[in-house]
Amino acid sequence: MFGPDKCGATNKVHFILKHKNPKSGEYVEHHIKYPPSVPSDKLTHVYTAILKPDNEVRILIDGEEKKKANFLSADDFEPPLIPAKTIPDPDDKKPEDWDERAKIPDPNAVKPDDWDEDAPMEIEDEEAVKPEGWLDDEPEEIDDPEATKPEDWDDEEDGEWEAPKIDNPKCETAPGCGEWKRPMKMNPAYKGKWSAPLIDNPNYKGIWKPQEIPNPDYFELDKPDFEPIAAVGIEIWTMQDGILFDNILIAKNDKVAESYRETTWKPKFEVEKEKQKAEDESTDSDGLSGVQKKVFDVLYKVADIPFLSEYKLQILDLIEKAEKQPNITIGVIVSILVIILTVLFRLLFGGK
């Protein structure tokens, strides 16, 4: 399977293949890792997958390489085409006395005599004084004096009519209204629930893992065992109109695809670009719409950065929201910057 998929938080150009395991005879579906994103505009685009005899696969969008991978690399496909040599023993069981706790409560620790677990976290500030001008007899809200009972109000059916409440205008200039109460402050005696301090566990054995055994489905491979292409199918799942597919080309030479792309797609794309530019300028004279489109294009490229792969779905979800609500674009940019800074700090400081 090859082509664009943009739906909700999903935004990627699929490359999926099913490969037969020669040992088990089972067909396994393999997905390319970190696929490129789909362009954010509504112009016509051309997607190209080039499969090379040296096991290399290249994905191009509009003739520009966006992804390069190797069929036999475990870093490029999930799951890898070549299974692992060893696997965890499914019959291996963790011993009952295996202790995975690195730290345990100190069994010799004793709660101090002066530790009061019942002391509240906050207490009244006894030093607080009611501000001058506080209006004790004035409520914070009053009936709206300008409100009148609607003419069609029926007390029997609708109940007794009550005027809606509004803020008491007398409280606007006063420090406060109603019953004054001392504010709360942190209790210096508060310590909370006592617990014994943690110490190194003398019986700690580490995190248990089953032993590795030879993988019965392991095999070696020089190149993928592709079956001949017998047909081409187009899978479309959409809830909007205006999506078209045409010019499906399979060739043995990528130069043929390149020539066809230049002569068939590019002239059409250039016309569409000019038309879109004119529409943007007429829709928004200050060019803001066009600027936002460029911003979204940059953000989609940011989402494709490999070290952000863990957060790619979050970033794409933010971009999708910004496309639907352009007024939150700046907030989205700030959010993505926070994600990037978070990842950088994790890389620099060991994930803490």
Side-chain angles (χ1 to χ4, degrees):
M1 176 183 276
F2 172 64
D5 181 3
K6 188 174 182 182
C7 179
T10 301
N11 186 319
K12 57 186 174 182
V13 179
H14 282 292
F15 187 90
I16 308 170
L17 68 136
K18 283 188 175 181
H19 190 262
K20 185 177 181 180
N21 184 311
K23 283 285 190 70
S24 66
E26 178 187 2
Y27 281 92
V28 179
E29 190 172 278
H30 304 274
H31 294 241
I32 198 167
K33 287 185 178 180
Y34 315 124
S37 297
V38 180
S40 59
D41 56 47
K42 295 185 178 181
L43 304 175
T44 300
H45 295 281
V46 57
Y47 300 88
T48 308
I50 302 175
L51 285 61
K52 308 287 282 187
D54 61 357
N55 298 323
E56 180 183 272
V57 55
R58 297 170 58 217
I59 294 177
L60 283 60
I61 301 178
D62 298 345
E64 181 182 348
E65 182 178 297
K66 298 293 185 179
K67 177 72 178 179
K68 181 188 289 185
N70 188 292
F71 284 115
L72 304 187
S73 171
D75 297 328
D76 290 339
F77 281 88
E78 179 63 38
L81 269 73
I82 302 177
K85 286 186 177 182
T86 62
I87 59 171
D89 185 353
D91 299 322
D92 196 9
K93 305 295 182 184
K94 181 171 69 173
E96 293 183 1
D97 61 347
W98 192 281
D99 197 337
E100 293 184 336
R101 298 173 301 165
K103 299 279 186 179
I104 59 171
D106 185 354
N108 299 318
V110 179
K111 182 173 70 173
D113 294 335
D114 62 347
W115 193 287
D116 185 1
E117 292 185 338
D118 298 324
M121 183 184 295
E122 291 184 329
I123 57 173
E124 282 190 355
D125 185 357
E126 297 294 338
E127 299 178 358
V129 179
K130 182 169 65 174
E132 289 186 16
W134 189 280
L135 305 178
D136 298 83
D137 300 327
E138 289 289 342
E140 293 182 0
E141 291 185 333
I142 61 171
D143 291 343
D144 185 354
E146 298 181 1
T148 57
K149 183 167 71 171
E151 294 181 1
D152 59 349
W153 187 277
D154 188 324
D155 288 342
E156 291 185 2
E157 291 187 6
D158 303 325
E160 184 181 353
W161 182 80
E162 295 180 357
K165 298 289 185 180
I166 62 170
D167 292 336
N168 190 342
K170 294 181 181 180
C171 300
E172 293 181 3
T173 56
C177 290
E179 181 186 358
W180 180 81
K181 294 180 180 180
R182 284 189 172 88
M184 304 297 285
K185 68 174 186 178
M186 286 298 298
N187 182 3
Y190 172 75
K191 293 186 177 180
K193 185 76 174 176
W194 181 84
S195 58
L198 297 178
I199 61 172
D200 291 335
N201 183 2
N203 298 319
Y204 176 65
K205 294 184 178 181
I207 303 299
W208 182 84
K209 293 181 180 179
Q211 64 177 346
E212 295 283 319
I213 60 172
N215 184 358
D217 293 330
Y218 172 76
F219 62 91
E220 294 185 355
L221 192 67
D222 293 327
K223 61 173 59 179
D225 184 17
F226 288 120
E227 297 181 357
I229 295 176
V232 175
I234 301 177
E235 177 181 303
I236 302 178
W237 180 20
T238 179
M239 298 178 70
Q240 65 189 65
D241 59 7
I243 296 177
L244 304 173
F245 290 82
D246 65 0
N247 298 333
I248 308 299
L249 172 66
I250 298 177
K252 291 185 177 181
N253 189 332
D254 59 292
K255 297 298 182 184
V256 174
E258 180 181 352
S259 174
Y260 196 76
R261 184 171 61 238
E262 291 295 313
T263 57
T264 304
W265 163 79
K266 196 166 186 177
K268 179 181 180 181
F269 180 74
E270 295 298 336
V271 171
E272 288 180 341
K273 260 202 320 186
E274 290 301 317
K275 183 179 178 182
Q276 184 67 57
K277 184 178 177 182
E279 288 178 356
D280 289 343
E281 290 175 351
S282 62
T283 302
D284 197 340
S285 59
D286 61 6
L288 183 59
S289 176
V291 170
Q292 286 177 328
K293 282 184 170 60
K294 292 179 181 179
V295 170
F296 292 144
D297 288 340
V298 172
L299 292 179
Y300 277 118
K301 291 178 181 179
V302 169
D304 283 334
I305 298 175
F307 82 88
L308 294 174
S309 58
E310 184 180 347
Y311 298 90
K312 182 173 181 178
L313 290 181
Q314 291 175 251
I315 295 174
L316 292 177
D317 185 48
L318 288 170
I319 300 172
E320 291 276 350
K321 290 178 180 177
E323 284 183 314
K324 295 175 182 176
Q325 305 176 59
N327 58 306
I328 66 170
T329 302
I330 294 177
V332 166
I333 293 173
V334 172
S335 300
I336 293 175
L337 288 175
V338 170
I339 292 175
I340 294 173
L341 290 173
T342 300
V343 176
L344 290 176
F345 272 96
R346 287 181 61 189
L347 293 173
L348 292 173
F349 300 109
K352 296 184 180 179

